[in-house]
Amino acid sequence: MDKDRTDKVPELTYEAAVSRLEEIVTLLERGEAPLDESMDLFREGVRLSSFCSGKLKEMKEEMVKLVDADGSVAPIDQES
Amino acid sequence: MNPVFSVTELNRAVNDRLSQDPVLGKVRVRGEVSGLKTYPSGHSYFTLKDDTASVSCVLFRQPAGQSSVKLTEGMQVLLFARTNLFDKNGRFQLIVDGVQEEGLGDLYRRYLDLKARLSEQGLFDQERKLPLPFIPDRIVAITSEAGAVIRDIIHVLRRRFPGIRLILIPVPVQGAGAEHEIAAAIQLANQLSLGDVIIVGRGGGSLEDLQPFNEEVTALAIAASRIPVISAVGHETDYTIADFAADLRAPTPSAAAELAVPVKDDLLLRAEQLGAACELAMVRRLELAASRLSALATRPVLVRPTAFLDGHQARIQLFSHRLLSAWKEAQIQAQRRVEDRRAAMEAALVKVFSDRTLALARTAQTLEALSPLAVLSRGYSLVTDPEGRSISRARDLAKGDALELVFQDGRVGGQVTRPLVHADSQEEGKTNG
């Protein structure tokens, strides 16, 4: 079960991950879920939190200019 | 030879000539207002134009304030003006003294007509609008390669979301035919799937500068795009056809970039806050579980498992106590009853005895009365044989028989000396004692 979840996380969009994370926090804060379930939620929440941070941090800048209709690109000349 | 002028002298001379010219000194000119700019000083600058030509105009504050007509972009006007050559740059201009409105300009009318037509076709319908991605993977900018617009966009993107990817499709953004290049760029971005959001725009300008964004071909290309399009044309107040057709309208290119991406630091903070909230909530959840557990653990039933017996025990003690006293009471009662009975019995017995004693005494009296001794005491005596057998008949005695005479005070022996004679001679039957 845990494995499934780990496999699923990378497929999530950032938005879905954050909204699931918010949901988890709400559930945990309500404190109504059984302890075992809470523990699972917590693990999922921690994973989602680091997934979100990671996804934000991993983005690599690439600012280019399209130079040809076939999609080839060149760096943007910032001075122009 | 013609004289040599300095530039200043030349401009001044031409200006003098113009102002003195009977025909061209003061003119009435018909045309369309374009590129209107009003400065804080109150002076307005604009271009008056028709289909083929244009002329710079300046409307100084005082006349502008007096005029009942408020100039607007695209307005068709009749100007009352003085011709003038601006000393400093030799530019020909009209100094406007009065304005008379003559209706909407052609461009503006075309704009309104197209807007109405496309709106009727449903091109601007809200249902057609595509949602923007929350964080775009890559942004496509369709604008001029030169100029402030792309620099502003890059600046805002870098500030808000460092690491975002941007691809620029350079296009001319004004002048004849620009609309076709803009439309083609939008189509190309879709064909090559260059990104997941498009910003198409240019800086502010006059109505004719913005014309490529008021063309049907541009509007249709924007509406047809599968990639969501943010329009970013001009300054706040200018609405172009492209703005209406776009999925989202930004007042400026910078604003478009802001709409395209969230602030990365905010997101990071949010993700971290949520992570922390998650941990805090879990800690609280565990504390809750622990406190519930400890509350349970201190319950009497767990602290002293036999506690539940206490009640029973107390009741049993009470019962046994009551039982004991009841038993004692019963014993006392029984004892008392036994004693009562015995007393009654004794009383009865005493009574019986006394009754009997009385009866006995009476019997004894009776007996006394019947006793031979009593008879003897009255003077009679009893005759017995020597063995003590009573002899009550004379005929039982023969001569010589021994006999005993019993008196009240003792007995004496005798012998019959004379047997029976007759009953009537009792004297003779008397013993000879």
Side-chain angles (χ1 to χ4, degrees):
Chain A
M1 187 177 170
D2 265 1
K3 191 171 173 296
D4 283 358
R5 246 180 228 164
T6 323
D7 288 347
K8 226 182 275 174
V9 166
E11 294 168 21
L12 280 176
T13 65
Y14 175 87
E15 212 174 1
V18 164
S19 66
R20 173 64 181 152
L21 181 54
E22 278 169 347
E23 186 185 14
I24 285 171
V25 169
T26 310
L27 283 172
L28 282 175
E29 279 174 348
R30 219 177 284 157
E32 284 165 2
L35 199 57
D36 285 350
E37 209 175 291
S38 296
M39 209 59 217
D40 288 343
L41 285 172
F42 171 65
R43 287 197 199 98
E44 192 186 346
V46 168
R47 254 199 311 273
L48 286 170
S49 167
S50 63
F51 165 77
C52 290
S53 306
K55 194 167 171 86
L56 291 174
K57 282 171 184 162
E58 80 190 5
M59 301 190 80
K60 289 270 188 295
E61 183 172 287
E62 183 194 15
M63 293 203 172
V64 295
K65 172 175 75 173
L66 188 79
V67 293
D68 214 336
D70 67 359
S72 62
V73 294
I76 289 179
D77 182 0
Q78 280 286 302
E79 301 311 310
S80 64
Chain B
M1 275 302 265
N2 287 334
V4 176
F5 291 101
S6 73
V7 176
T8 307
E9 285 165 349
L10 176 69
N11 285 359
R12 212 166 268 166
V14 173
N15 211 7
D16 286 348
R17 182 63 63 85
L18 275 175
S19 59
Q20 287 158 17
D21 190 279
V23 179
L24 295 175
K26 288 195 170 189
V27 291
R28 291 186 299 165
V29 194
R30 177 172 286 132
E32 186 180 324
V33 175
S34 176
L36 176 68
K37 275 179 187 152
T38 301
Y39 288 90
S41 60
H43 306 325
S44 295
Y45 298 86
F46 60 95
T47 304
L48 189 72
K49 64 185 184 75
D50 57 20
D51 291 343
T52 52
S54 64
V55 61
S56 295
C57 301
V58 56
L59 178 63
F60 291 116
R61 189 169 58 86
Q62 207 180 353
Q66 286 171 350
S67 173
S68 60
V69 178
K70 187 173 174 4
L71 289 177
T72 55
E73 188 69 25
M75 182 186 275
Q76 194 74 32
V77 289
L78 181 63
L79 297 182
F80 300 84
R82 284 168 283 143
T83 53
N84 177 270
L85 194 77
F86 191 38
D87 292 354
K88 295 221 164 64
N89 61 9
R91 217 170 105 184
F92 180 73
Q93 63 180 8
L94 298 178
I95 296 172
V96 180
D97 294 321
V99 180
Q100 198 175 310
E101 188 178 1
E102 292 215 315
L104 296 171
D106 286 347
L107 277 179
Y108 192 63
R109 186 171 291 113
R110 274 186 55 206
Y111 164 84
L112 289 180
D113 288 348
L114 181 62
K115 184 181 154 195
R117 187 156 54 83
L118 294 181
S119 178
E120 204 160 303
Q121 288 172 13
L123 209 71
F124 307 153
D125 287 357
Q126 210 54 42
E127 307 89 75
R128 293 185 53 105
K129 308 294 184 196
L130 301 172
L132 263 56
F134 182 60
I135 302 174
D137 188 48
R138 185 157 61 187
I139 297 167
V140 179
I142 297 174
T143 186
S144 169
E145 187 177 357
V149 171
I150 188 63
R151 281 207 307 275
D152 287 351
I153 289 173
I154 288 171
H155 177 73
V156 171
L157 290 181
R158 283 217 171 113
R159 174 166 54 78
R160 287 174 70 89
F161 208 100
I164 198 76
R165 297 194 294 166
L166 172 77
I167 186 161
L168 167 67
I169 307 181
V171 290
V173 289
Q174 66 188 77
E179 63 270 18
H180 295 290
E181 297 213 35
I182 293 166
I186 292 168
Q187 286 153 5
L188 185 68
N190 276 277
Q191 277 162 21
L192 300 179
S193 294
L194 291 179
D196 46 10
V197 62
I198 294 173
I199 298 173
V200 57
R202 55 153 290 145
S206 66
L207 194 58
E208 63 266 25
D209 287 343
L210 303 186
Q211 192 52 38
F213 293 88
N214 282 326
E215 292 290 344
E216 188 172 2
V217 63
T218 310
L220 292 177
I222 289 172
S225 176
R226 284 175 290 103
I227 304 169
V229 176
I230 304 175
S231 69
V233 180
H235 296 295
E236 325 260 338
T237 50
D238 303 328
Y239 266 79
T240 63
I241 302 290
D243 286 329
F244 294 114
D247 297 297
L248 191 63
R249 183 244 175 191
T252 64
S254 297
E258 284 178 9
L259 291 170
V261 293
V263 177
K264 191 180 187 177
D265 285 347
D266 289 353
L267 299 183
L268 273 171
L269 190 66
R270 182 74 186 134
E272 275 157 28
Q273 278 172 345
L274 281 172
C278 197
E279 278 177 42
L280 186 64
M282 191 60 210
V283 166
R284 293 228 172 99
R285 180 70 187 80
L286 286 171
E287 278 171 357
L288 180 69
S291 73
R292 271 185 194 156
L293 183 64
S294 69
L296 278 177
T298 55
R299 292 276 268 281
V301 71
L302 290 182
V303 172
R304 218 156 50 81
T306 56
F308 76 99
L309 289 175
D310 292 355
H312 296 285
Q313 212 156 4
R315 270 164 66 196
I316 286 165
Q317 267 172 5
L318 188 65
F319 281 138
S320 64
H321 187 73
R322 280 166 63 185
L323 190 64
L324 198 64
S325 51
W327 169 244
K328 278 180 184 160
E329 183 63 24
Q331 272 187 326
I332 288 166
Q333 294 281 346
Q335 188 84 30
R336 195 170 291 154
R337 274 202 300 276
V338 167
E339 279 166 6
D340 287 354
R341 291 268 164 80
R342 202 164 59 197
M345 221 160 71
E346 277 170 2
L349 218 59
V350 166
K351 191 172 184 291
V352 166
F353 271 123
S354 64
D355 286 356
R356 292 281 159 86
T357 308
L358 210 60
L360 194 61
R362 247 185 248 127
T363 309
Q365 271 178 351
T366 310
L367 273 176
E368 191 106 350
L370 293 174
S371 169
L373 294 174
V375 179
L376 296 179
S377 68
R378 285 201 306 270
Y380 295 91
S381 60
L382 179 65
V383 180
T384 67
D385 60 15
E387 283 76 38
R389 286 187 297 256
S390 175
I391 298 166
S392 58
R393 294 174 191 278
R395 64 175 174 256
D396 297 335
L397 291 168
K399 192 167 171 185
D401 285 349
L403 49 82
E404 298 251 331
L405 293 175
V406 181
F407 296 91
Q408 96 180 5
D409 54 349
R411 52 183 59 196
V412 296
Q415 214 164 22
V416 179
T417 54
R418 200 178 19 108
L420 177 65
V421 272
H422 288 298
D424 48 350
S425 57
Q426 269 181 350
E427 288 264 311
E428 288 173 44
K430 255 188 204 179
T431 53
N432 226 342

Coordinates of all heavy atoms in Angstrom, one line a residue, chain B residues 260-295:
Chain B
A260 N 0.6 34.8 -15.1 CA 1.1 33.5 -15.7 C 1.7 32.6 -14.6 O 1.5 31.4 -14.7 CB 2.0 33.8 -16.8
V261 N 2.4 33.2 -13.7 CA 3.0 32.4 -12.7 C 2.7 32.9 -11.3 O 2.6 34.0 -11.0 CB 4.6 32.4 -12.9 CG1 5.0 31.7 -14.1 CG2 5.2 33.7 -12.8
P262 N 2.6 31.9 -10.4 CA 2.5 32.3 -8.9 C 3.9 32.7 -8.4 O 4.9 32.6 -9.1 CB 2.0 31.0 -8.3 CG 2.5 29.9 -9.1 CD 2.6 30.5 -10.5
V263 N 3.9 33.2 -7.2 CA 5.2 33.6 -6.6 C 5.8 32.3 -6.0 O 5.2 31.7 -5.1 CB 5.1 34.7 -5.5 CG1 6.4 35.0 -4.9 CG2 4.5 35.9 -6.2
K264 N 7.0 31.9 -6.5 CA 7.5 30.6 -6.1 C 7.8 30.6 -4.6 O 7.6 29.6 -4.0 CB 8.8 30.4 -6.9 CG 9.4 29.0 -6.8 CD 10.7 28.9 -7.6 CE 11.2 27.6 -7.7 NZ 12.4 27.5 -8.6
D265 N 8.4 31.7 -4.1 CA 8.7 31.7 -2.7 C 7.5 31.5 -1.8 O 7.5 30.8 -0.8 CB 9.4 33.0 -2.3 CG 10.8 33.1 -2.8 OD1 11.3 32.0 -3.2 OD2 11.4 34.2 -2.8
D266 N 6.3 32.1 -2.3 CA 5.1 31.9 -1.5 C 4.7 30.4 -1.5 O 4.3 29.9 -0.5 CB 3.9 32.7 -2.2 CG 4.1 34.2 -2.0 OD1 5.0 34.6 -1.2 OD2 3.3 34.9 -2.6
L267 N 4.9 29.8 -2.7 CA 4.5 28.4 -2.8 C 5.4 27.5 -1.9 O 5.0 26.6 -1.3 CB 4.6 27.9 -4.3 CG 3.7 28.6 -5.3 CD1 3.9 28.0 -6.6 CD2 2.3 28.5 -4.8
L268 N 6.7 27.8 -2.0 CA 7.7 27.1 -1.2 C 7.3 27.2 0.3 O 7.3 26.3 1.1 CB 9.1 27.6 -1.4 CG 9.9 27.0 -2.5 CD1 11.1 27.8 -2.8 CD2 10.1 25.5 -2.3
L269 N 7.0 28.5 0.7 CA 6.6 28.7 2.0 C 5.4 28.0 2.4 O 5.3 27.3 3.5 CB 6.4 30.2 2.2 CG 6.2 30.7 3.6 CD1 7.5 30.6 4.4 CD2 5.8 32.2 3.6
R270 N 4.4 28.0 1.5 CA 3.1 27.3 1.7 C 3.4 25.8 1.9 O 2.8 25.2 2.8 CB 2.2 27.6 0.6 CG 0.8 26.9 0.7 CD 0.0 27.6 1.7 NE -1.3 26.9 2.0 CZ -1.8 26.7 3.2 NH1 -1.1 27.1 4.3 NH2 -2.9 26.1 3.3
A271 N 4.2 25.2 1.0 CA 4.5 23.8 1.1 C 5.2 23.5 2.4 O 4.9 22.5 3.1 CB 5.4 23.4 -0.1
E272 N 6.1 24.4 2.8 CA 6.8 24.1 4.1 C 5.8 24.3 5.3 O 5.9 23.5 6.2 CB 8.0 25.0 4.2 CG 9.2 24.4 3.5 CD 10.2 25.5 3.1 OE1 10.3 26.6 3.8 OE2 11.0 25.3 2.1
Q273 N 5.0 25.3 5.2 CA 4.0 25.5 6.3 C 3.1 24.3 6.4 O 2.8 23.9 7.5 CB 3.2 26.8 6.0 CG 3.9 28.1 6.4 CD 3.1 29.3 5.9 OE1 2.2 29.2 5.0 NE2 3.5 30.4 6.4
L274 N 2.7 23.8 5.2 CA 1.8 22.7 5.3 C 2.5 21.5 5.8 O 1.9 20.7 6.6 CB 1.2 22.4 3.9 CG 0.1 23.3 3.4 CD1 -0.2 23.0 1.9 CD2 -1.1 23.1 4.2
G275 N 3.7 21.3 5.5 CA 4.5 20.2 6.0 C 4.6 20.3 7.5 O 4.4 19.4 8.3
A276 N 4.9 21.6 8.0 CA 5.0 21.8 9.4 C 3.7 21.6 10.1 O 3.6 21.0 11.2 CB 5.5 23.2 9.6
A277 N 2.6 22.1 9.4 CA 1.3 21.9 10.0 C 0.9 20.5 10.1 O 0.3 20.0 11.1 CB 0.2 22.6 9.1
C278 N 1.4 19.7 9.1 CA 1.1 18.3 9.1 C 1.8 17.6 10.3 O 1.2 16.8 11.0 CB 1.7 17.7 7.8 SG 1.1 16.1 7.4
E279 N 3.1 18.0 10.5 CA 3.8 17.5 11.7 C 3.2 17.9 13.0 O 3.0 17.1 13.9 CB 5.3 17.9 11.6 CG 6.1 17.1 10.7 CD 7.5 17.6 10.6 OE1 8.1 18.0 11.7 OE2 8.1 17.7 9.5
L280 N 2.8 19.2 13.1 CA 2.2 19.7 14.3 C 0.9 18.9 14.6 O 0.6 18.5 15.7 CB 1.9 21.2 14.2 CG 1.4 21.8 15.4 CD1 2.5 21.8 16.5 CD2 1.1 23.3 15.1
A281 N 0.1 18.8 13.5 CA -1.2 18.1 13.7 C -1.0 16.7 14.1 O -1.7 16.1 15.0 CB -2.0 18.1 12.4
M282 N 0.1 16.0 13.6 CA 0.4 14.6 14.0 C 0.8 14.6 15.4 O 0.4 13.7 16.2 CB 1.5 14.1 13.0 CG 1.6 12.6 13.2 SD 0.1 11.7 12.8 CE 0.2 10.3 13.8
V283 N 1.7 15.5 15.8 CA 2.1 15.6 17.2 C 0.9 15.7 18.1 O 0.8 15.0 19.1 CB 3.1 16.7 17.4 CG1 3.3 17.0 18.9 CG2 4.5 16.4 16.7
R284 N 0.0 16.6 17.7 CA -1.2 16.8 18.5 C -2.0 15.6 18.6 O -2.6 15.2 19.6 CB -2.0 18.0 17.9 CG -1.3 19.3 18.0 CD -2.3 20.4 18.6 NE -1.6 21.6 18.9 CZ -1.5 22.7 18.1 NH1 -2.2 22.7 17.0 NH2 -0.9 23.8 18.4
R285 N -2.1 14.9 17.4 CA -2.9 13.7 17.4 C -2.3 12.7 18.3 O -3.1 12.0 19.0 CB -2.9 13.2 15.9 CG -3.7 11.9 15.7 CD -5.2 12.2 15.8 NE -6.0 11.0 15.8 CZ -6.2 10.2 16.8 NH1 -5.6 10.5 18.0 NH2 -6.9 9.1 16.7
L286 N -1.0 12.6 18.3 CA -0.4 11.6 19.2 C -0.6 12.0 20.7 O -0.8 11.1 21.5 CB 1.1 11.5 18.9 CG 1.5 10.8 17.6 CD1 2.9 10.9 17.2 CD2 1.1 9.3 17.7
E287 N -0.4 13.3 20.9 CA -0.7 13.8 22.3 C -2.1 13.4 22.8 O -2.3 13.0 23.9 CB -0.4 15.3 22.4 CG 1.1 15.6 22.5 CD 1.3 17.1 22.4 OE1 0.3 17.9 22.1 OE2 2.5 17.5 22.5
L288 N -3.0 13.7 21.8 CA -4.4 13.4 22.2 C -4.6 11.9 22.5 O -5.2 11.5 23.5 CB -5.3 13.7 21.0 CG -6.8 13.5 21.1 CD1 -7.3 14.5 22.1 CD2 -7.5 13.7 19.8
A289 N -3.9 11.1 21.7 CA -4.0 9.6 21.9 C -3.4 9.3 23.2 O -3.9 8.5 24.0 CB -3.3 8.9 20.8
A290 N -2.2 9.9 23.5 CA -1.5 9.6 24.8 C -2.3 10.1 26.0 O -2.4 9.4 27.0 CB -0.2 10.3 24.7
S291 N -2.9 11.2 25.8 CA -3.7 11.7 27.0 C -5.0 10.9 27.2 O -5.4 10.6 28.3 CB -4.0 13.2 26.9 OG -5.0 13.4 25.9
R292 N -5.5 10.4 26.1 CA -6.7 9.5 26.3 C -6.3 8.3 27.0 O -6.9 7.7 27.8 CB -7.3 9.2 24.9 CG -8.3 10.2 24.5 CD -9.0 9.8 23.2 NE -9.7 10.9 22.6 CZ -10.0 11.0 21.3 NH1 -9.6 10.1 20.5 NH2 -10.7 12.0 20.9
L293 N -5.1 7.8 26.6 CA -4.6 6.5 27.1 C -4.3 6.7 28.6 O -4.7 5.9 29.4 CB -3.3 6.1 26.4 CG -2.7 4.8 26.8 CD1 -3.6 3.7 26.5 CD2 -1.3 4.6 26.2
S294 N -3.6 7.8 29.0 CA -3.3 8.0 30.4 C -4.6 8.3 31.2 O -4.7 7.8 32.3 CB -2.3 9.1 30.6 OG -2.9 10.4 30.3
A295 N -5.5 8.9 30.6 CA -6.8 9.1 31.3 C -7.5 7.7 31.6 O -8.0 7.5 32.7 CB -7.8 10.0 30.5

